[in-house]
């Protein structure tokens, strides 16, 4: 039996790639073989899915290289994707420049995000995973019960952490809050407006340690700047030491994860570990992993400017008061609720919480 084939074009950032995986999985369940054009940053994660064939593109050269490097990188990508005929080529971007990358692709159907029609637009206020599924399956925009859940990799590496000895192991992500593609490829500044203040993370970490719990610091190599903020607190430092698949594995060994809206939030969402996400400039209903034991606290209650992210840029805010509105006590309260529900085996669907809730 000849299987259908699909080509997905989505380089990264990490969160967007993870939210697009359910769409690829929906195609896979319908008998499609999945090829995925990706950048180097997310390649190790996509390689953990046995049903995805990652095709590496040199995104740094394509977006920041000299004219010669750009031409060579695009030509190399063309050579990798032009030899195979596809039933569907789905480019999960609005920018028409991405159309150039799939010019030689032979496909019965080529689809690219576009704001010219409702069918090809990610509708605001809806979770990105659901919208990616609707887009690739060409579903009518009708009533859809349920939401797309994160799809866990089926061949993760073991966690590099030793078995826990403390009553609880809680992972926190104090530094990460930037678009990896913008920072590493386009050379833009981190989107720090969606970062919960590191001082708040320190207060939370100290309270957890005071309970006799283990606290694990997660983050990439560029987040080493947060380490001095935690001096004097006994913690397990994993910043810059883990691959993306290892982050998922480590989250799986933890009792809970606390993160703002960033890549590790979505990596943690691939595990079954209770997850507290902290949001402000972005709407958590469009991003929080829609699975059990997952809650997004949305700061900025009563702010006229919330959310300020329009899908491409943040407002020129000098002080992200929405994130400051979420207190360590509020986070700890949600954390305890999730841990209690998890330990008692209680049903606990994803939800959005607010700073002034009890």
């Amino acid at each position: 039996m000849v299987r259908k084939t699909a080509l997905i074009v989505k380089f990264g950032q990490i969160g967007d790639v993870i939210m697009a995986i359910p769409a690829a999985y929906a195609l896979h369940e319908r008998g499609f073989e999945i090829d995925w054009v990706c950048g180097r940053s997310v390649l190790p994660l996509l390689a953990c899915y046995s049903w995805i064939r990652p095709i590496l593109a040199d995104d740094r050269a394509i977006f920041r290289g000299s004219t010669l490097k750009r031409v060579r990188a695009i030509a190399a990508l063309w050579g990798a994707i032009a030899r195979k005929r596809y039933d569907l080529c789905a480019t999960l971007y609005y920018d028409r420049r991405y159309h150039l990358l799939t010019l030689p692709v032979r496909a019965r159907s080529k689809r690219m995000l576009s704001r010219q029609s409702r069918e090809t637009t990610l509708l605001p206020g809806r979770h990105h995973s659901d919208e990616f599924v609707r887009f690739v399956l060409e579903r009518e925009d009708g009533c859809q019960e349920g939401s797309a859940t994160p799809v866990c990799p089926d061949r993760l590496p073991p966690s590099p952490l030793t078995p826990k000895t403390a009553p609880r192991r809680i992972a926190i992500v104090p530094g990460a809050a930037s678009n990896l593609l913008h920072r590493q490829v386009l050379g833009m500044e981190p989107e720090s407006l969606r970062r919960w203040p590191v001082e708040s993370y320190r207060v939370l970490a100290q309270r957890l340690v005071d309970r006799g719990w283990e606290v694990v610091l997660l983050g990439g190599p560029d987040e080493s700047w947060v380490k001095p903020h935690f001096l004097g607190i006994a913690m397990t430092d994993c910043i810059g030491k883990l691959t993306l698949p290892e982050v998922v594995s480590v989250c799986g060994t933890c009792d809970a994860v606390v993160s703002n809206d960033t890549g590790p939030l979505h990596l943690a969402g691939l595990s079954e570990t209770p997850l507290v996400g902290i949001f402000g400039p972005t709407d958590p209903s469009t991003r929080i992993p829609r699975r059990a034991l997952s809650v997004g606290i949305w700061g900025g209650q009563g702010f006229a400017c919330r959310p300020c992210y329009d899908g491409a840029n943040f407002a020129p805010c000098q002080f992200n008061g929405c994130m400051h509105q979420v207190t360590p006590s509020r986070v700890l309260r949600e954390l305890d609720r999730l841990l209690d529900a998890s330990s008692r085996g209680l049903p606990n669907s994803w939800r959005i919480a607010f700073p002034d809730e009890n």
Side-chain angles (χ1 to χ4, degrees):
M1 178 180 178
V2 178
R3 300 195 67 185
K4 295 180 180 179
T5 56
L7 179 67
I8 306 293
V9 179
K10 190 68 174 173
F11 288 88
Q13 62 200 98
I14 297 169
D16 279 353
V17 167
I18 292 175
M19 287 189 287
I21 290 174
Y25 189 67
L27 291 171
H28 170 68
E29 286 191 312
R30 286 159 177 76
F32 280 78
E33 293 181 353
I34 307 297
D35 288 356
W36 190 311
V37 175
C38 66
R40 193 171 302 279
S41 63
V42 297
L43 176 65
L45 179 64
L46 292 178
C48 290
Y49 292 86
S50 61
W51 47 273
I52 293 178
R53 187 177 79 95
I55 299 174
L56 179 63
D58 189 347
D59 47 351
R60 180 180 292 274
I62 291 173
F63 294 105
R64 289 196 68 195
S66 64
T67 300
L68 179 59
K69 289 183 177 180
R70 196 169 297 175
V71 169
R72 286 177 175 173
I74 294 175
L77 175 59
W78 283 357
I81 62 179
R83 297 189 297 267
K84 188 173 180 180
R85 185 180 294 275
Y86 293 95
D87 292 281
L88 170 67
C89 174
T91 303
L92 304 183
Y93 290 99
Y94 289 103
D95 192 333
R96 296 299 300 176
R97 289 176 295 180
Y98 285 92
H99 179 67
L100 172 67
L101 303 181
T102 61
L103 277 180
V105 172
R106 296 172 296 165
R108 292 182 181 178
S109 174
K110 279 189 175 183
R111 293 176 60 76
M112 182 172 183
L113 293 179
S114 169
R115 303 189 191 279
Q116 296 181 353
S117 72
R118 185 181 180 92
E119 291 73 21
T120 58
T121 300
L122 302 182
L123 298 177
R126 296 187 184 178
H127 199 278
H128 288 187
S129 288
D130 294 326
E131 288 298 277
F132 284 137
V133 170
R134 181 177 65 86
F135 174 74
V136 301
L137 296 184
E138 299 185 65
R139 283 180 175 171
E140 293 184 4
D141 184 25
C143 181
Q144 297 289 336
E145 293 188 9
S147 187
T149 57
V151 180
C152 183
D154 55 346
R155 49 186 187 191
L156 282 171
S159 169
L161 295 188
T162 58
K164 67 178 183 180
T165 57
R168 297 285 193 184
R169 172 182 282 169
I170 310 297
I172 65 173
V173 191
S178 60
N179 183 319
L180 190 65
L181 178 66
H182 286 178
R183 186 178 71 239
Q184 293 187 350
V185 178
L186 303 181
M188 297 173 65
E189 290 298 315
E191 296 153 322
S192 59
L193 288 178
R194 55 190 173 134
R195 180 183 297 135
W196 198 41
V198 68
E199 295 81 9
S200 296
Y201 272 112
R202 178 184 170 87
V203 171
L204 176 65
Q206 184 65 67
R207 292 184 183 179
L208 297 174
V209 170
D210 289 345
R211 292 181 174 188
W213 295 3
E214 177 188 2
V215 177
V216 178
L217 278 176
L218 293 181
D222 292 342
E223 274 77 59
S224 295
W225 63 269
V226 305
K227 294 183 181 183
H229 291 273
F230 296 92
L231 292 176
I233 303 177
M235 307 177 74
T236 302
D237 178 13
C238 291
I239 290 182
K241 300 177 182 179
L242 304 176
T243 65
L244 297 187
E246 287 175 334
V247 171
V248 181
S249 297
V250 165
C251 289
T253 69
C254 293
D255 293 283
V257 178
V258 178
S259 174
N260 35 252
D261 179 19
T262 185
L265 173 86
H266 299 278
L267 292 169
L270 297 176
S271 71
E272 296 180 354
T273 300
L275 173 63
V276 177
I278 307 170
F279 294 80
T282 54
D283 182 349
S285 66
T286 66
R287 287 170 169 77
I288 190 72
R290 293 199 169 182
R291 61 155 173 82
L293 299 170
S294 177
V295 61
I297 305 175
W298 197 6
Q301 193 168 11
F303 285 35
C305 56
R306 185 195 72 170
C308 70
Y309 183 63
D310 63 5
N313 299 293
F314 292 84
C317 180
Q318 300 300 315
F319 178 73
N320 56 340
C322 53
M323 298 299 286
H324 285 77
Q325 191 186 65
V326 180
T327 64
S329 295
R330 184 69 184 88
V331 173
L332 191 58
R333 192 158 65 246
E334 285 297 338
L335 187 62
D336 286 337
R337 286 176 177 173
L338 289 179
L339 291 171
D340 178 65
S342 177
S343 62
R344 296 167 60 190
L346 300 176
N348 196 293
S349 181
W350 70 271
R351 62 188 178 86
I352 308 302
F354 300 93
D356 65 354
E357 288 181 346
N358 294 324

